[in-house]
Amino acid sequence: MQQIIYFFIRNKNFLLFAVLFLVSVALTINTHSYHKNKYIGSANTVAGKVYKVRNNVQTYFGLDDENDLLVKENLRLREIIEGLKAETGFSAIDTTQFDSLINASVFKFIPAKVINNSYSKSKNNLTLNQGTNDGVENDMGVVTANGIVGIVNSTSARFATVQSILNTQSKINAKLNKSSHFGTLIWNTKDPNVVQIVDIPRLAPLKAGDTIVTGGRSTIFPEGLQIGTVIDFSADKDDNYYLVNVKLFNDMTSLSHVYMVENKEAEEIILLENSVEDEQ
């Protein structure tokens, strides 16, 4: 103990300098947005590299599960194609037209892999192996073939973090698929596979098993993406709105491949809406 005390006495000037230096760096980061963004970007890069190495090891031992998921997704796409054939009356679809259809779409999808995923906290996030070098930007929606995952909230050159729908700060527009009554998707932190919808009016024709989808009232998610099914719902006697428990289609504790959604018209829509608000 005496040696430790002597160490602090001998190095008191250096230790005081180190403490003051760290305090000044912390104050600079917190009070200047430029430095704060640089710090967050650097932290994301370092954390992303660590998560990527760990994920590569885990992925190697989970290839069978990944192949099963890809087979199921390909099966679903095949069923969609066969459905299009039935609706159009054509026995075959001209695949040479796919590129033009993709280019004409309002939404662009960027594939990515989940290299870190938290789901046991109150504010959960994911880390993806794609960043600004790949066209990723903040406020992009993140989805899988089964449903929505969250919204990109921070990026670096090669990685991105996502605010999960299992996050108490997450609020996403959702609706009943059969009636288009709208509400807000939130999470009460109790179950990683069950989320809640608030503000669904009591006049809505609601029953257990109904499908919940994205509402499309934002520039983040396309309308009609799957979310889950209604488990149960309740409302106080004097309340005009239901609180709805929803079982997610996605298993949020086992996510691997995802897609980030870019709305090509988002910037124009936001600028127009902001200009209207400024006039008011």
Side-chain angles (χ1 to χ4, degrees), residues 61-160:
F61 293 101
L63 288 178
D64 288 342
D65 293 337
E66 291 300 317
N67 287 335
D68 289 341
L69 289 173
L70 292 174
V71 168
K72 290 178 182 178
E73 186 169 355
N74 287 335
L75 176 61
R76 183 169 176 269
L77 293 174
R78 173 57 60 185
E79 290 172 344
I80 291 172
I81 291 174
E82 294 302 322
L84 289 173
K85 289 181 183 179
E87 287 182 7
T88 58
F90 292 104
S91 60
I93 294 178
D94 185 1
T95 56
T96 62
Q97 301 298 316
F98 282 0
D99 286 343
S100 61
L101 291 173
I102 291 171
N103 291 333
S105 173
V106 173
F107 294 94
K108 174 184 175 183
F109 293 84
I110 301 173
K113 190 171 184 181
V114 177
I115 58 176
N116 191 51
N117 178 23
S118 66
Y119 46 82
S120 59
K121 305 173 184 176
S122 61
K123 294 181 176 63
N124 293 295
N125 292 277
L126 303 92
T127 305
L128 308 182
N129 69 340
Q130 301 279 43
T132 54
N133 289 349
D134 309 289
V136 180
E137 297 178 358
N138 285 353
D139 296 329
M140 282 186 173
V142 180
V143 303
T144 71
N146 294 325
I148 66 172
V149 172
I151 300 172
V152 175
N153 61 359
S154 183
T155 58
S156 65
R158 294 190 295 149
F159 302 98

Side-chain angles (χ1 to χ4, degrees), residues 48-58:
K49 289 179 179 179
V50 174
Y51 293 146
K52 187 174 182 179
V53 172
R54 185 189 68 181
N55 183 259
N56 286 340
V57 176
Q58 292 175 336

